Each structure stands twice: as C-alpha cells, then as structure tokens.
Amino acid sequence: RTDCSDSDAVSPLGAVLSCELDGHRACVILPRNLSKAASPASCAALANAQHFPALLDSEGKRLEFARILADVPCSGDGTARKNAQVWRAWKRRE
C-alpha cells in the first residue's frame, strides 16, 4: 500500500523484511527477488527471525509487524505420496 496524496511521489507505508539463516539465500537470492518489486522499502537479513532485534522508528518507538509470512521447511510428504520411486529408495536412518 502506498500514500498517493502527492501525485509526484509515492512513498511506501510499509516494508518487507526477509530473514534467512542460509548465507547464500540471504545475500544473493533474496536481494535479487526483492529487487524485482522495485520497492525502496524492502531488505534481506542474514538472521534467525526468532531472535531478530526490535526495530525502532525515528522517535525510538518499537515497530510492530502487521503480517508475517513463513516459508517453513517441507516435510516431503507430498512428494512421497506422488512418487512411488521415493518409497523404493527410502532407507531408515539409525
């Protein structure tokens, strides 16, 4: 969402913050994907989102997240159900 009160400039009212634990994804892949949005209000951080520090505005007040989207690790269950070869190759780890 943007503030369109000034027809010459569009300033974002929100931001996208992407946290990633993998260095390659945080420093190469996420910035490349975020650049496609062409938004000045996006960034990628090499960080654990569980322990991400508080973000403060210019007055020192804590910024809150309005929405959180999580891309959690996959269990692989869907692939196993769709591909019989997965079951034939599967071996239990001890």
Side-chain angles (χ1 to χ4, degrees), residues 19-40:
C19 293
E20 176 60 55
L21 289 172
D22 180 85
H24 179 72
R25 286 182 57 166
C27 299
V28 177
I29 296 171
L30 282 175
R32 184 173 39 213
N33 287 341
L34 290 171
S35 72
K36 294 174 186 176
S39 171

Side-chain angles (χ1 to χ4, degrees), residues 6 11-12 24 37 40 51 54-55 57 67 75-76 79-80 87 91 94:
D6 181 30
S11 49
H24 179 72
H51 308 292
L55 299 174
D57 67 10
R67 292 175 183 84
S75 68
T79 300
W87 286 110
K91 292 186 178 32
E94 305 241 355

Side-chain angles (χ1 to χ4, degrees), residues 1-81:
R1 201 176 83 170
T2 57
D3 178 3
C4 298
S5 59
D6 181 30
S7 61
D8 295 331
V10 177
S11 49
L13 293 177
V16 174
L17 170 63
S18 301
C19 293
E20 176 60 55
L21 289 172
D22 180 85
H24 179 72
R25 286 182 57 166
C27 299
V28 177
I29 296 171
L30 282 175
R32 184 173 39 213
N33 287 341
L34 290 171
S35 72
K36 294 174 186 176
S39 171
S42 65
C43 70
L46 178 58
N48 183 336
Q50 287 181 312
H51 308 292
F52 198 79
L55 299 174
L56 307 176
D57 67 10
S58 59
E59 298 171 355
K61 290 192 291 185
R62 184 183 172 123
L63 295 173
E64 301 291 332
F65 293 97
R67 292 175 183 84
I68 296 174
L69 173 66
D71 183 12
V72 298
C74 176
S75 68
D77 182 59
T79 300
R81 280 185 283 117

